[in-house]
Amino acid sequence: MASRRAFLTTVGAGAAGVSLAGTDPVRAQTPDSAPPSAAWSRRYATGHSSRLLTLVPVDDGYVLGGVAGRHDDLRGLAVRTDARGRTRWRRTYGTVKSGVAAGAPHPDGGFVLGGATNLDDSSPFTEPSLSADPWVLRVDAAGDVVWTRTLQPAAATGRIETLVRAGDGYLVGGRRRESRETRPRPWVARLSPAGHRRWATTLGDTEAQGAVNATSADGDAWYVGGSTAPAEGEQAGESETATVTRLDSDGTVQWRYRVDAPKGSRIEGLHADGEGVVCVGNRGFATDDDGQGWHLRLDAAGERAWQRTHSTGPWNWLNGLVSLEDGYLLVGTREETPEGDESNGPRGAWVVRTGPRGRTRWETTYFDDGWSGGNALHPVDGDGSEFLVAGWTEVENGESAWLLNAGGETVDTGSEITHRISNLAAAVPPDADAVGLGVLLGAGAVTLRRRLRGGE
């Protein structure tokens, strides 16, 4: 597997001018002309196999949510960071076989996370077992649990895939399976600020299967998106039909938009505004070229205003979007063209910058040491010149939760390289002249780079 590094670290603070990535970090001239360079990245829960699936802005920092653990010890993960991604605390939640998929701030402080518990399976990304429950918990600013709720303990199985603030509470979506004999169906519920269910409903035809993957609200206009497919039949993915449904705040369906694209279609992210809703997803993914990223706007009446496709590389998948002052940022995972005899190229976090009607202004892929992927994104600046990508990166023992900053100031991420150079500098006598110190640090950086690249 080819090894790529997205973030650029300069050792020696200019004394020797050695960049371990081979290139000095350079910011884009403007947010529209080229993608910003990666400034720093951090890994969390590296002792486990872990992924970040959601990013919640809070006072002077972020809460990163996801999953951590392996097989018989899978837990919901939350990491509280400062504005530069430095860990303030890290917690795992839930019984064995739990996972966090989404989160949002709580009006009285702290935040709410949603996902599934009692999974009784080796992965939160597979079809839930018959014991699984949709699960929400409120956590305070210190990371302590205020309350937890399982939303349908009498149902055979269910899970939350998405959670957003709506009205005075929350709108959650996912899937629900009523019995062993039935297939999972798209499911949506309204929760009070205390996490109690006010109403819940399943969507789509009773004979179909599917899930809600995205929710968004603007005032009294609430939208849910996902896909449905026949309960029995064609190969997975080929018969998926993307759906977007507009609901009133009492759960009444106003309209439903469906796309029967060849070889499958699915909605993964939504952003509601006063004019309707902007959607992102994927289509044609059951074919040999692994599909296309997909971006469209529906007006408030459910009519399509425009649509675009975004696709480069042999495999790509868009997971979500955020709104900017004059357009959107889309995030997902993309595979580069394989090198040599490799059957697959490296995968990285894929970010696409578009204008207000979805036309591409730039796109890029950010890599870490191994394969990486992007699941959530947050703009630090409203023009998209600086943003955060939350996802995962490959490590020796599996996957690590990963946060990347693009366009910001380069900061010390506490890497092994930084620690070694710091130790080297500490060993220099205080009366050493500046030239001698620069030569020593430069030589140390070159030696360290050779060792790292040579596997010593």
Side-chain angles (χ1 to χ4, degrees), residues 221-369:
W222 296 5
Y223 299 89
V224 300
S227 65
T228 60
E232 306 291 341
E234 302 177 49
Q235 180 181 355
E238 296 217 4
S239 56
E240 274 192 61
T241 297
T243 63
V244 179
T245 304
R246 177 174 173 175
L247 306 171
D248 287 339
S249 58
D250 63 359
T252 302
V253 174
Q254 288 297 308
W255 49 256
R256 179 175 300 150
Y257 177 83
R258 295 164 55 95
V259 176
D260 292 316
K263 303 299 182 180
S265 58
R266 185 187 306 172
I267 297 297
E268 294 281 14
L270 297 173
H271 174 76
D273 57 29
E275 299 178 1
V277 62
V278 177
C279 319
V280 71
N282 305 276
R283 55 190 297 173
F285 43 80
T287 59
D288 291 341
D289 64 0
D290 294 308
Q292 295 177 321
W294 181 37
H295 190 197
L296 68 155
R297 172 179 277 280
L298 305 177
D299 65 23
E303 298 295 325
R304 191 180 71 202
W306 51 259
Q307 71 170 341
R308 313 285 178 217
T309 55
H310 307 283
S311 180
T312 53
W315 182 89
N316 56 89
W317 194 269
L318 287 174
N319 286 317
L321 81 161
V322 294
S323 176
L324 301 174
E325 295 168 354
D326 63 342
Y328 304 91
L329 282 174
L330 320 182
V331 65
T333 303
R334 180 172 68 176
E335 183 177 291
E336 296 286 273
T337 302
E339 298 178 357
D341 297 330
E342 296 285 340
S343 58
N344 295 100
R347 292 183 180 181
W350 181 29
V351 179
V352 183
R353 170 68 156 99
T354 79
R357 293 184 60 83
R359 292 187 174 90
T360 300
R361 292 183 177 175
W362 56 253
E363 63 177 303
T364 192
T365 309
Y366 296 99
F367 293 92
D368 197 38
D369 283 332

Side-chain angles (χ1 to χ4, degrees), residues 85-417:
R86 293 171 292 207
T87 301
R88 291 188 172 174
W89 51 256
R90 177 172 66 86
R91 301 286 185 89
T92 55
Y93 302 106
T95 60
V96 174
K97 306 297 180 59
S98 300
V100 167
H106 192 276
D108 295 330
F111 49 94
V112 171
L113 301 173
T117 190
N118 302 318
L119 285 164
D120 192 25
D121 201 341
S122 62
S123 170
F125 312 111
T126 59
E127 179 62 38
S129 63
L130 292 179
S131 65
D133 292 312
W135 175 56
V136 291
L137 64 158
R138 180 185 169 193
V139 178
D140 66 19
D144 297 325
V145 175
V146 179
W147 48 253
T148 63
R149 312 275 186 247
T150 51
L151 298 182
Q152 51 185 53
T157 186
R159 66 189 297 166
I160 291 172
E161 306 280 1
T162 173
L163 177 154
V164 295
R165 287 292 307 276
D168 65 344
Y170 299 90
L171 181 66
V172 301
R175 64 187 77 180
R176 174 183 177 182
R177 184 176 179 182
E178 297 181 356
S179 70
R180 187 179 298 274
E181 287 72 35
T182 61
R183 302 297 295 169
R185 295 180 60 196
W187 172 83
V188 62
R190 179 180 182 179
L191 308 183
S192 72
H196 297 298
R197 188 176 65 183
R198 288 180 170 168
W199 55 256
T201 186
T202 52
L203 302 172
D205 300 334
T206 57
E207 300 301 320
Q209 61 179 318
V212 169
N213 301 319
T215 50
S216 189
D218 182 72
D220 292 332
W222 296 5
Y223 299 89
V224 300
S227 65
T228 60
E232 306 291 341
E234 302 177 49
Q235 180 181 355
E238 296 217 4
S239 56
E240 274 192 61
T241 297
T243 63
V244 179
T245 304
R246 177 174 173 175
L247 306 171
D248 287 339
S249 58
D250 63 359
T252 302
V253 174
Q254 288 297 308
W255 49 256
R256 179 175 300 150
Y257 177 83
R258 295 164 55 95
V259 176
D260 292 316
K263 303 299 182 180
S265 58
R266 185 187 306 172
I267 297 297
E268 294 281 14
L270 297 173
H271 174 76
D273 57 29
E275 299 178 1
V277 62
V278 177
C279 319
V280 71
N282 305 276
R283 55 190 297 173
F285 43 80
T287 59
D288 291 341
D289 64 0
D290 294 308
Q292 295 177 321
W294 181 37
H295 190 197
L296 68 155
R297 172 179 277 280
L298 305 177
D299 65 23
E303 298 295 325
R304 191 180 71 202
W306 51 259
Q307 71 170 341
R308 313 285 178 217
T309 55
H310 307 283
S311 180
T312 53
W315 182 89
N316 56 89
W317 194 269
L318 287 174
N319 286 317
L321 81 161
V322 294
S323 176
L324 301 174
E325 295 168 354
D326 63 342
Y328 304 91
L329 282 174
L330 320 182
V331 65
T333 303
R334 180 172 68 176
E335 183 177 291
E336 296 286 273
T337 302
E339 298 178 357
D341 297 330
E342 296 285 340
S343 58
N344 295 100
R347 292 183 180 181
W350 181 29
V351 179
V352 183
R353 170 68 156 99
T354 79
R357 293 184 60 83
R359 292 187 174 90
T360 300
R361 292 183 177 175
W362 56 253
E363 63 177 303
T364 192
T365 309
Y366 296 99
F367 293 92
D368 197 38
D369 283 332
W371 286 21
S372 308
N375 293 320
L377 188 145
H378 172 72
V380 178
D381 292 333
D383 61 2
S385 60
E386 182 183 355
F387 52 85
L388 296 171
V389 176
W392 57 273
T393 188
E394 189 177 55
V395 293
E396 185 176 354
N397 62 340
E399 295 172 353
S400 174
W402 180 55
L403 183 68
L404 170 85
N405 174 287
E409 293 183 23
T410 302
V411 299
D412 176 6
T413 59
S415 67
E416 178 186 5
I417 297 168

